[in-house]
């Protein structure tokens, strides 16, 4: 994994996981998140607008570190990097997807939910991973249990995490950051209430291990 970008896990305690339906919302949304202290933004490749959103943020919000999430194929890797994504996140991984991410030139977080998947990635020299779906896959107790036998693995748990549970995740030695959506409530996005998004982002940026 070679890139001038520092580890994605160390950019901020929370990585917003963003689903953008209208590419015109991408820039003001990203500016609000950055202003709130969350520079790493994962735009999920779940909508037709996603790549245009990545492109716009990369071009117009220089303080943002925009990445692509829900990357599930080598073609998706190429499309995301071509649009300007500075990191990649997948919900799971296969050999071909891992090869493509490793060859992309940008940091990546392949998704895992089992000990065997973690060991398989460690065997391939990958130490930073997404733990997904975090709450459904065992949450804090599961990750805590992994830290003993596999201390070299570091995680960004995502899936079902809330402002109240995030500090407990962040207190674990093998968790660098968490992914979440709570700073992006649907009603705020629908109203394009970027001030509210910024305020919620600021609260999230202040979450630390307690």
């Amino acid at each position: 994994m070679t890139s001038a970008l520092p580890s994605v896990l160390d950019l901020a305690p929370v990585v917003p996981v963003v689903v953008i339906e209208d590419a015109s919302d991408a820039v003001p949304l990203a500016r609000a998140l950055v202003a709130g202290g969350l520079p790493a933004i994962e735009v999920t490749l779940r909508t037709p607008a996603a790549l245009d959103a990545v492109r716009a943020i990369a071009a117009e919000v220089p303080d943002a570190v925009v990445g692509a999430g829900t990357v599930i194929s080598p073609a998706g890797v190429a499309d995301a990097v071509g649009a300007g994504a500075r990191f990649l996140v997948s919900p799971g991984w296969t050999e071909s997807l891992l090869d493509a991410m490793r060859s992309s030139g940008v940091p990546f977080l392949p998704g895992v939910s089992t000990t065997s998947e973690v060991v398989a990635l460690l065997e391939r020299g990958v130490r930073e991973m997404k733990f997904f779906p975090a709450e459904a896959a065992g949450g804090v107790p599961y990750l805590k249990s992994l830290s003993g036998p596999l201390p070299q693995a570091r995680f960004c748990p995502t899936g079902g995490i809330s402002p109240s549970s995030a500090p407990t995740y962040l207190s674990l030695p093998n968790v660098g950051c968490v992914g979440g959506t709570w700073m992006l409530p649907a009603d705020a996005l629908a109203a394009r209430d970027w001030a509210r998004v910024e305020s919620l982002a600021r609260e999230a940026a202040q979450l630390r291990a307690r």
Side-chain angles (χ1 to χ4, degrees):
M1 188 160 78
T2 59
S3 173
L5 184 67
S7 169
V8 177
L9 300 184
D10 298 325
L11 291 172
V14 179
V15 175
V17 180
V18 182
V19 179
I20 294 180
E21 301 287 350
D22 184 341
S24 67
D25 290 337
V27 168
L29 175 58
R31 285 178 177 155
L33 292 171
V34 171
L38 300 181
I41 301 169
E42 177 189 334
V43 177
T44 62
L45 302 185
R46 301 180 193 175
T47 68
L51 288 173
D52 285 338
V54 171
R55 216 171 271 115
I57 295 170
E60 299 182 46
V61 192
D63 292 332
V65 180
V66 63
T70 322
V71 178
I72 57 173
S73 69
V77 170
D79 289 343
V81 174
R86 296 176 62 190
F87 66 91
L88 304 170
V89 184
S90 68
W93 64 278
T94 63
E95 293 291 349
S96 60
L97 179 57
L98 185 64
D99 287 346
M101 290 193 293
R102 292 180 79 121
S103 301
S104 69
V106 301
F108 57 93
L109 297 173
V112 297
S113 60
T114 69
T115 306
S116 293
E117 290 171 320
V118 176
V119 171
L121 286 176
L122 290 174
E123 187 178 77
R124 289 157 176 78
V126 179
R127 296 189 173 193
E128 298 185 346
M129 313 166 195
K130 172 179 179 173
F131 181 63
F132 176 82
E135 286 289 284
V140 168
Y142 195 97
L143 285 172
K144 189 174 183 179
S145 70
L146 289 181
S147 65
L150 303 172
Q152 63 272 52
R154 295 181 72 215
F155 301 95
C156 174
T158 303
I161 297 175
S162 68
S164 58
S165 63
T168 308
Y169 278 97
L170 292 167
S171 72
L172 298 177
N174 56 351
V175 170
C177 64
V178 300
T181 60
W182 69 84
M183 72 297 302
L184 302 161
D187 57 342
L189 297 185
R192 293 177 169 82
D193 187 350
W194 309 128
R196 183 178 171 204
V197 171
E198 180 180 338
S199 176
L200 291 170
R202 185 168 291 108
E203 293 173 7
Q206 294 169 357
L207 289 174
R208 292 285 184 252
R210 304 209 209 289

